[in-house]
Amino acid sequence: MRKTLWVSGFALAATAVLGTTGTANAAGTSMGTDSIFTIGTDIQAGTYTTSTALSTCAWARLSALTPSATAVLQTGGATNGSATVTIQSTDVAFFTTGCGTWTLRTSTGSSGLGGGLLSGLLSGSAGA
């Protein structure tokens, strides 16, 4: 039951912001709002960090601009702390909510961080 709620909750959150575009700075090296950012248009690919995560931060790398869980490449988050993600140039978009401002640390990252929470939930390997 919890697995279904987490997946449904993510899909609802993604749907809520799917129609909006994120605001990135002119160089495309930071993200300061809860939104979906298009890779190569709104932001650059690379490794981003945030240390301003609010009480609950969630993010997802996406292979398509759709609210479907099949578009999720990787997810992650933080609780009252920092988060790091490597966004690939082959990713289509990046979704973020509650994470504060993301700042590009290096534009030459080659891999992401693990499988993410949603991947674990979908495969059944995450705790319920």
Side-chain angles (χ1 to χ4, degrees):
M1 178 68 168
R2 285 186 182 173
K3 293 176 185 179
T4 302
L5 292 175
W6 274 95
V7 173
S8 297
F10 175 77
L12 289 173
T15 302
V17 296
L18 193 56
T20 64
T21 57
T23 55
N25 69 4
T29 59
S30 71
M31 300 168 274
T33 60
D34 294 351
S35 193
I36 294 179
F37 296 86
T38 304
I39 312 310
T41 302
D42 298 326
I43 59 168
Q44 298 176 23
T47 300
Y48 288 81
T49 60
T50 180
S51 59
T52 56
L54 301 176
S55 61
T56 303
C57 159
W59 57 263
R61 294 176 38 237
L62 305 172
S63 64
L65 290 172
T66 177
S68 170
T70 60
V72 176
L73 298 170
Q74 177 186 15
T75 65
T79 302
N80 296 322
S82 64
T84 301
V85 63
T86 298
I87 299 170
Q88 304 296 322
S89 60
T90 54
D91 295 354
V92 171
F94 180 73
F95 167 80
T96 179
T97 184
C99 296
T101 300
W102 290 92
T103 304
L104 181 67
R105 296 297 175 209
T106 177
S107 60
T108 58
S110 62
S111 65
L113 302 173
L117 177 61
L118 189 58
S119 296
L121 291 174
L122 293 175
S123 69
S125 63

